[in-house]
Amino acid sequence: VQLQASGGGSVQVGGSLKLSCAVSGHSFDEYIIGWFRQTPGNEREGVSAISAVDDSTYYAASVKGRFTISIDNAQDTVYLQMNSLNPEDTAVYYCAAGRYSGASENVKMYNYWGQGTQVTVSS
């Protein structure tokens, strides 16, 4: 399974970005897809996840109500719509896939990782 993350950039506080994670190499209908973020010196944090198996979703408390995760099965792509961005959302964002059923923020459940995409929110 290969994952290609894209869509990062620089926005001002209150702005929006839409991240994309293109999945190839295997049909992802047996996987969970997660979005994680990491800042220098900190551990990777689970932001959101979606299960292609049971349609369950996960959102970290810090992004609930602002971020929306979705799947486009026709495009084999998972999106993360990020609204009302604030400086605390600044990080490198990664997408990952794991062969489980329920969406999870647990890094250990993900076996495949894409490269990161930088998101910078300035005030």
Side-chain angles (χ1 to χ4, degrees), residues 10-122:
S10 297
V11 296
Q12 293 190 325
V13 170
S16 298
L17 283 172
K18 188 173 185 178
L19 304 184
S20 300
C21 178
V23 182
S24 62
H26 194 282
S27 174
F28 65 48
D29 58 4
E30 298 178 353
Y31 290 83
I32 56 175
I33 306 295
W35 283 99
F36 296 80
R37 65 188 181 188
Q38 190 170 25
T39 54
N42 293 307
E43 294 185 353
R44 204 162 287 190
E45 170 196 17
V47 174
S48 183
I50 189 166
S51 170
V53 179
D54 62 13
D55 296 327
S56 59
T57 57
Y58 163 82
Y59 292 97
S62 59
V63 307
K64 196 169 292 185
R66 300 188 297 123
F67 291 11
T68 303
I69 193 168
S70 61
I71 289 178
D72 183 335
N73 287 295
Q75 299 294 326
D76 288 344
T77 301
V78 175
Y79 299 101
L80 185 67
Q81 177 67 48
M82 307 187 296
N83 299 328
S84 301
L85 286 163
N86 58 59
E88 290 69 38
D89 296 316
T90 295
V92 177
Y93 284 70
Y94 300 87
C95 62
R99 203 163 184 175
Y100 291 95
S101 57
S104 173
E105 78 280 20
N106 188 341
V107 172
K108 295 181 180 179
M109 296 180 71
Y110 293 85
N111 308 103
Y112 307 95
W113 292 83
Q115 89 295 351
T117 184
Q118 176 71 47
V119 171
T120 302
V121 185
S122 57

